[in-house]
Amino acid sequence: MGRKPGTPVAITGIGVVTPAGSTVDDFWTTLLAGRSTAAPLKTDVDMSNHGVRFGCAVRGLDEVGLISAKEARRMDPFARFGVTAALSAYRDAGSPTPDPHRTAIVVGNAVGGRQTTDAEVGNYFLHGPHRVNPLLPLVSMPNAAAALLAMRLGWHGPALTIATTCASGADAIGHAMLMLRDHRADVVIAGGAESTLSPVTLAAFANLNAVSARNDEPERASRPFDVDRDGFVMGEGAGFVVLERLEDADARGARTYGLVAGYGSTADAYHLAMPLPDGSAAIAAMQEAIADAGLGPGDIAHVNAHGTSTQQNDRAEANALRKVFGPTGPPVTSTKSVIGHLIGAAGAVEAVAAVLSNHHATVPPTANHERLEPGMEIDVVHGAPRAITPGPALSNSFGFGGHNGCLVVTPR
């Protein structure tokens, strides 16, 4: 068993903007269907000579509203995704009205306004320096989503941005939980936002041999833990939660989706792109999150894996899961098989998926998974959703640079 758990932290609101849809219902329905959202990209750039020409683009954003056309023109897509998902979560939580000085916003983001930066670099070379948008530094700064959300809500507490690449969203939620445990805030909106579907960024990852090159069948490209996987699929989007101490949520009669019960964070201290071969730091992050929740490995009901569909990372994670849980571990799924890799937003969106799995007592299948790589000893949910008894869920996020962030979410 783990240590004595800290002050219970409730999830009272959730919001998403994803390639699987930009409402929670659409997102969940698409995950249950177990079909990838990857498709050829529509860009202003001729990508015919690119090695990779597809990805998972956000769908359904315009139907959500919440941000005016005028506001959107002054936002990079990552900030628009983030603010929309955060406001959706805020409304879902019943639009709480805490003391504005007792609030916090924590946003995970890896690269800031990549779409706007790439566009303005092109503008510079085509038309010269005097045509570069003077708002570029403000629109593209990684903290733009946190700043804009604070302005929108009039919240004066900390508005933070965490950049731990693919673990950013998980770390944001983990730090939000710690702030509430420490009574540094009464209500926290936390999550991640990212938009890296630019031709330049995609070309870089293709040259790194990190992304799948299945241009002829993009919908079959993301296949975590499958023997025929050949790289991840780039996605974009945002996921946010509203967190409050459980006693405060109950006092105002708020609906509670569950609890953020545990958080673990470690560093590989090994390589910018490759995971630590023995997986020891990832194992430590999982164990820390489980212990922080006051639990043991046998208490975990299911795992939302990092599951990128890359050779090295899937193999390393499968080995780490085997060492934490043994040969008969809990069922494992990968949300990235459906929506791609959302980089800085991935951990937050996947934590929302884990919460929804408990809420609906169902684990979505891992799309395209047909045959487990020999030597992996994990129970990958595939082919169809699997009914479960709701219980503690582990959500893993392992980022470039060796950042490991793990969350445990539980039913109330």
Side-chain angles (χ1 to χ4, degrees), residues 11 16 24 49 51 84 143 168 181 209 220 227 300-301 364:
I11 304 161
V16 295
V24 171
N49 64 340
T84 299
N143 60 309
S168 301
R181 282 184 181 176
N209 294 318
R220 290 178 54 78
V227 68
I300 301 299

Side-chain angles (χ1 to χ4, degrees), residues 3-22:
R3 66 180 73 100
K4 182 180 179 180
T7 301
V9 173
I11 304 161
T12 57
I14 54 179
V16 295
V17 170
T18 77
S22 295

Side-chain angles (χ1 to χ4, degrees), residues 31-46:
L31 290 187
L32 288 182
R35 292 191 299 271
S36 171
T37 58
L41 293 176
K42 298 177 182 179
T43 73
D44 296 330
V45 176
D46 179 9

